[in-house]
Amino acid sequence: MWLKLFFLLLYFLVLFVLARFFEAIVWYETGIFATQLVDPVALSFKKLKTILECRGLGYSGLPEKKDVRELVEKSGDLMEGELYSALKEEEASESVSSTNFSGEMHFYELVEDTKDGIWLVQVIANDRSPLVGKIHWEKMVKKVSRFGIRTGTFNCSSDPRYCRRRGWVRSTLIMSVPQTSTSKGKVMLKEYSGRKIEVEHIFKWITAHAASRIKTIYNAERLKEEWNKSDQYWVKIYLFANLDQPPAFFSALSIKFTGRVEFIFVNVEKWDNKSYMTDIGVYNMPSYILRTPEGIYRYGNHTGEYISLQAMDSFLRSLQPEVNDLFVLSLVLVNLMAWMDLFITQGATIKRFVVLISTLGTYNSLLIISWLPVLGFLQLPYLDSFYEYSLKLLRYSNTTTLASWVRADWMFYSSHPALFLSTYLGHGLLIDYFEKKRRRNINSDEVNANNLEWLSSLWDWYTSYLFHPIASFQNFPVESDWDEDPDLFLERLAFPDLWLHPLIPTDYIKNLPMWRFKCLGVQSEEEMSEGSQDIENDSDSESTDTLSSEKEVFEDNLSIIHSSPGRASHCDAKACSCANKYCQTSPYERKGRSYGSYSANEDMEPDWLTWPADMLHCTECVVCLENFENGCLLMGLPCGHVFHQNCIVMWLAGGRHCCPVCRWPSYKKKQPYAQHQPLSNDFPS
């Protein structure tokens, strides 16, 4: 998880650097920045109308370019970034979808139950034509959708009883707006009563009703009273402008942020004395002033702060977010982090997607589960102070220059989704390349595995889980003996009783602890021969070579056992390094031997310091009933019992994957026993 989080943060850093790189290219080619102001005089009449449409100001009664230019200047400064976004949005010929309501419940669920948005619905009466034609309705839908206004069509033929109850006997237009200034308040429906059925007139009707919800100030005394008043709103945004009514994007935002931010329009068109505005720090017209408990912030002085709906919406969301905004943000980040698994996972392609689906399900489930207690805690009254301090921290951090860059990059990449996806894919491919290069040196089989091999291993695990449910819950590798002998599956089908025995790979035997039995004061024959050959050799290098050669011999013996399973059902006495004398004695002689005897070195005490810490101290192998001789090779099981290496390998390779003494599974870890130092009287003489 931390690795994916690191890669995700690295990807965001790449996006930030890439955005600065694009700005440098634009500056190099054109010599302008996105924050550079544009002189409206240099723009064409078409571009000026495009700017007014994006800001939501009507220009139907302004035939002259001069009048249109003055209206643009009155609504706010124009930056290069806003001009580029407006032109790009105008060129995009994507059709905006409109909802077709199926009946009363559908209408109530979407329109009347929506508390923080505006709906424009065209009602078509029975056996009547619509009030707005198809071509004009498409233009209307495209125009109002820029400001977050949703549209729909309700045909009374689908629910005539509801239309009669509402009094919709003729085709009309219905607009729904929140009735109160509180969040999640009631919704009121307003019917269009104008005579002119044109797009501009209908749009003026919509913006007039939306602007009526904004508090409007017409004189300095009222401004002074409002400026010094303290109420429930912590964040207020003022628009000082010489306009008849606020732009449509400002009115739409006032409805969207109902209960969180208060929008105030100060109409300075007929003001004679503007000295108080100078006292509060307002020098230019128009001005967008954000007032918070921390101070005054002038909107439009930083990168990405355009006079548009999208720019101001992202700005206000960062200052005063909803719980739903934080949840959506966390959902996007978690899924971006989960998709990193597609590139981090190495091996077959099918394996990558299986791991990806598993990660997506796990991360989203954990996210939803973790949000449930958070929502419960937010309802507690004791956390009001914590909530206020959190919002204060957000306001401090999101009014910095770095935060403005992040918001500008967010708007840029959200308007260019193809660039965002391509950079994410390129970043993932680089991660895949470096991960493959790193893991090839560690485990080349995992990197080079194809789909067929991985599906085969998955099938082995599935069949083991299906037919051997007890063994499937144990912790052992998923590789199966069926890879070496496919006839084993048919053989087991011929003998149904064998399904009761779990299929357990024997690879874990190589990881069991292995050492030599030594007695105090006695040197093994191998050590004596090695010492006589080269006295000056270093003792550490000798032990390393000895253990490596013993491991090679052990793996060769284990492969011989796998190749001839018929001999694995009993212990081969000749293979035991300490069993020569055992094979030449009778059972009565073996029984007569003492438990604590040490063969030729009976009076010598074992060197317990050479034993692993979690192994039980003993002197006899219960498989061959022989005492341990000095220098013989031993092997221990997870339960702590110790045996001759060859004896226990024969036992385990024969299919008995448990300890001969306590029957603990030989592939399952166990808590170690508490060791005690053996006394001299622990062993009978």
Side-chain angles (χ1 to χ4, degrees):
M1 177 179 178
W2 297 110
L3 182 62
K4 291 189 280 289
L5 180 60
F6 168 75
F7 285 137
L8 183 61
L9 295 177
L10 182 62
Y11 172 65
F12 288 150
L13 180 61
V14 170
L15 289 181
F16 183 80
V17 174
L18 189 63
R20 307 285 80 77
F21 178 71
F22 287 153
E23 289 181 357
I25 291 178
V26 173
W27 173 81
Y28 179 77
E29 292 181 351
T30 61
I32 58 175
F33 286 104
T35 56
Q36 185 173 343
L37 295 178
V38 180
D39 187 7
V41 178
L43 298 180
S44 62
F45 185 68
K46 182 179 180 181
K47 290 182 179 180
L48 291 174
K49 290 195 300 182
T50 302
I51 296 298
L52 291 179
E53 288 182 357
C54 290
R55 293 183 177 182
L57 292 170
Y59 57 88
S60 58
L62 303 175
E64 298 292 335
K65 177 183 177 181
K66 178 182 177 181
D67 299 332
V68 176
R69 175 177 54 82
E70 290 178 354
L71 186 58
V72 171
E73 293 175 348
K74 289 180 180 180
S75 60
D77 295 332
L78 179 62
M79 297 184 184
E80 289 286 349
E82 181 186 357
L83 178 61
Y84 170 77
S85 301
L87 295 177
K88 184 178 180 301
E89 185 178 355
E90 183 70 20
E91 292 175 359
S93 59
E94 298 179 0
S95 59
V96 183
S97 61
S98 182
T99 305
N100 290 319
F101 297 100
S102 59
E104 177 184 0
M105 295 306 298
H106 192 197
F107 182 83
Y108 178 82
E109 180 182 357
L110 294 182
V111 178
E112 297 190 35
D113 198 35
T114 302
K115 314 297 183 181
D116 56 352
I118 302 177
W119 273 90
L120 179 64
V121 182
Q122 179 170 213
V123 179
I124 303 176
N126 283 330
D127 302 328
R128 298 288 182 90
S129 59
L131 182 65
V132 182
K134 182 179 179 181
I135 298 177
H136 289 83
W137 177 248
E138 291 178 355
K139 292 181 179 180
M140 175 60 64
V141 169
K142 187 176 180 180
K143 187 177 184 66
V144 300
S145 62
R146 294 178 176 178
F147 309 102
I149 300 176
R150 286 162 286 188
T151 58
T153 303
F154 189 93
N155 200 325
C156 289
S157 60
S158 59
D159 196 345
R161 180 181 299 179
Y162 181 69
C163 289
R164 288 195 298 269
R165 190 165 67 249
R166 283 285 187 180
W168 297 336
V169 295
R170 59 184 180 86
S171 298
T172 184
L173 288 176
I174 302 295
M175 184 180 68
S176 70
V177 291
Q179 188 173 0
T180 60
S181 59
T182 59
S183 179
K184 307 300 181 183
K186 294 182 179 181
V187 174
M188 58 180 176
L189 301 179
K190 297 191 178 229
E191 185 176 352
Y192 180 69
S193 58
R195 296 181 179 180
K196 295 183 178 180
I197 313 300
E198 296 178 359
V199 175
E200 289 297 328
H201 289 82
I202 297 175
F203 184 73
K204 282 185 178 180
W205 170 71
I206 296 174
T207 54
H209 280 292
S212 63
R213 300 187 67 259
I214 298 178
K215 185 181 294 185
T216 305
I217 298 177
Y218 294 98
N219 52 66
E221 290 75 13
R222 179 68 189 280
L223 174 62
K224 185 176 182 180
E225 179 185 352
E226 181 66 33
W227 190 268
N228 297 324
K229 185 175 66 173
S230 60
D231 51 14
Q232 61 175 347
Y233 290 99
W234 290 92
V235 179
K236 297 181 180 181
I237 184 166
Y238 291 82
L239 170 58
F240 295 86
N242 189 9
L243 296 172
D244 295 335
Q245 66 179 27
F249 83 92
F250 196 77
S251 304
L253 288 173
S254 67
I255 297 175
K256 196 170 187 178
F257 287 88
T258 299
R260 290 187 284 169
V261 181
E262 185 178 15
F263 288 74
I264 300 174
F265 173 58
V266 182
N267 189 349
V268 297
E269 187 177 4
K270 299 180 181 179
W271 283 27
D272 297 331
N273 186 9
K274 300 181 181 180
S275 59
Y276 184 73
M277 289 192 299
T278 306
D279 296 339
I280 62 177
V282 180
Y283 304 102
N284 300 323
M285 294 295 162
S287 294
Y288 293 83
I289 304 297
L290 182 74
R291 189 155 189 259
T292 64
E294 294 76 36
I296 296 175
Y297 182 84
R298 291 171 179 82
Y299 179 83
N301 294 337
H302 290 82
T303 304
E305 296 180 355
Y306 309 137
I307 312 300
S308 62
L309 178 76
Q310 184 183 9
M312 189 170 286
D313 177 66
S314 62
F315 173 74
L316 294 177
R317 280 180 184 271
S318 63
L319 295 181
Q320 200 77 7
E322 268 187 330
V323 177
N324 185 60
D325 299 332
L326 299 178
F327 174 75
V328 172
L329 178 62
S330 62
L331 184 66
V332 172
L333 294 178
V334 164
N335 282 272
L336 285 176
M337 188 168 60
W339 272 89
M340 288 289 177
D341 241 345
L342 181 66
F343 309 104
I344 296 176
T345 305
Q346 298 299 315
T349 305
I350 299 179
K351 176 186 176 182
R352 292 172 183 258
F353 282 99
V354 170
V355 173
L356 173 63
I357 294 173
S358 175
T359 305
L360 286 172
T362 303
Y363 281 19
N364 285 278
S365 301
L366 291 177
L367 177 67
I368 295 174
I369 293 174
S370 60
W371 264 101
L372 293 178
V374 173
L375 294 177
F377 285 132
L378 291 177
Q379 304 299 325
L380 298 177
Y382 307 102
L383 295 178
D384 289 341
S385 59
F386 172 76
Y387 184 68
E388 292 174 4
Y389 281 116
S390 300
L391 291 178
K392 185 184 292 291
L393 179 62
L394 284 175
R395 288 193 290 266
Y396 271 121
S397 59
N398 289 318
T399 51
T400 59
T401 304
L402 179 62
S404 65
W405 283 346
V406 173
R407 287 192 297 267
D409 294 346
W410 165 257
M411 290 187 296
F412 173 73
Y413 287 111
S414 60
S415 60
H416 299 80
L419 179 61
F420 180 81
L421 294 177
S422 61
T423 51
Y424 187 84
L425 180 60
H427 180 71
L429 292 177
L430 285 177
I431 294 174
D432 177 63
Y433 171 75
F434 287 110
E435 278 291 309
K436 186 177 297 182
K437 191 174 181 180
R438 182 180 67 88
R439 296 192 185 186
R440 184 177 284 112
N441 300 328
I442 302 174
N443 188 359
S444 60
D445 295 338
E446 179 187 3
V447 176
N448 299 327
N450 54 33
N451 295 328
L452 188 59
E453 292 175 353
W454 189 80
L455 287 175
S456 177
S457 63
L458 184 65
W459 170 251
D460 291 341
W461 175 85
Y462 175 72
T463 52
S464 179
Y465 175 80
L466 184 64
F467 297 110
H468 316 289
I470 297 177
S472 299
F473 286 105
Q474 309 300 335
N475 186 18
F476 57 86
V478 298
E479 288 81 5
S480 174
D481 294 337
W482 294 353
D483 294 336
E484 301 176 1
D485 189 6
D487 296 335
L488 181 59
F489 182 74
L490 299 177
E491 182 180 340
R492 284 183 172 266
L493 286 177
F495 299 96
D497 175 66
L498 295 177
W499 291 111
L500 301 177
H501 306 289
L503 290 174
I504 301 176
T506 57
D507 294 342
Y508 70 91
I509 301 178
K510 300 177 183 179
N511 300 322
L512 294 176
M514 187 169 55
W515 70 99
R516 286 198 176 277
F517 183 80
K518 295 182 180 180
C519 295
L520 293 175
V522 178
Q523 191 175 15
S524 63
E525 296 178 358
E526 294 184 5
E527 291 174 349
M528 293 176 63
S529 62
E530 290 174 0
S532 62
Q533 291 175 2
D534 192 358
I535 300 176
E536 296 180 356
N537 289 341
D538 188 71
S539 59
D540 295 337
S541 62
E542 290 177 0
S543 60
T544 304
D545 297 339
T546 305
L547 289 176
S548 61
S549 60
E550 290 172 358
K551 190 171 183 64
E552 292 176 0
V553 173
F554 162 65
E555 293 179 356
D556 293 340
N557 293 337
L558 188 60
S559 62
I560 294 174
I561 293 172
H562 285 312
S563 61
S564 55
R567 293 186 294 171
S569 59
H570 63 281
C571 178
D572 191 355
K574 292 182 180 181
C576 296
S577 62
C578 55
N580 291 333
K581 186 180 292 186
Y582 158 73
C583 296
Q584 298 172 0
T585 56
S586 63
Y588 298 99
E589 291 177 311
R590 293 195 297 269
K591 277 191 174 182
R593 292 190 175 185
S594 173
Y595 174 79
S597 62
Y598 300 92
S599 188
N601 306 307
E602 294 180 356
D603 298 334
M604 296 299 176
E605 184 177 356
D607 185 7
W608 302 114
L609 297 178
T610 61
W611 286 50
D614 53 350
M615 292 293 117
L616 296 174
H617 296 169
C618 62
T619 60
E620 185 183 30
C621 175
V622 299
V623 178
C624 63
L625 300 179
E626 274 292 303
N627 293 328
F628 300 146
E629 292 186 357
N630 187 53
C632 67
L633 197 60
L634 305 182
M635 179 176 282
L637 295 181
C639 58
H641 293 104
V642 182
F643 313 90
H644 287 128
Q645 180 261 338
N646 283 309
C647 295
I648 193 59
V649 167
M650 292 288 187
W651 172 275
L652 298 176
R656 294 166 292 220
H657 297 278
C658 61
C659 177
V661 179
C662 64
R663 299 298 174 182
W664 181 265
S666 55
Y667 49 81
K668 185 178 180 181
K669 292 183 179 181
K670 188 177 183 180
Q671 294 294 333
Y673 291 96
Q675 294 289 344
H676 66 279
Q677 295 296 331
L679 301 176
S680 58
N681 57 1
D682 289 345
F683 307 98
S685 57

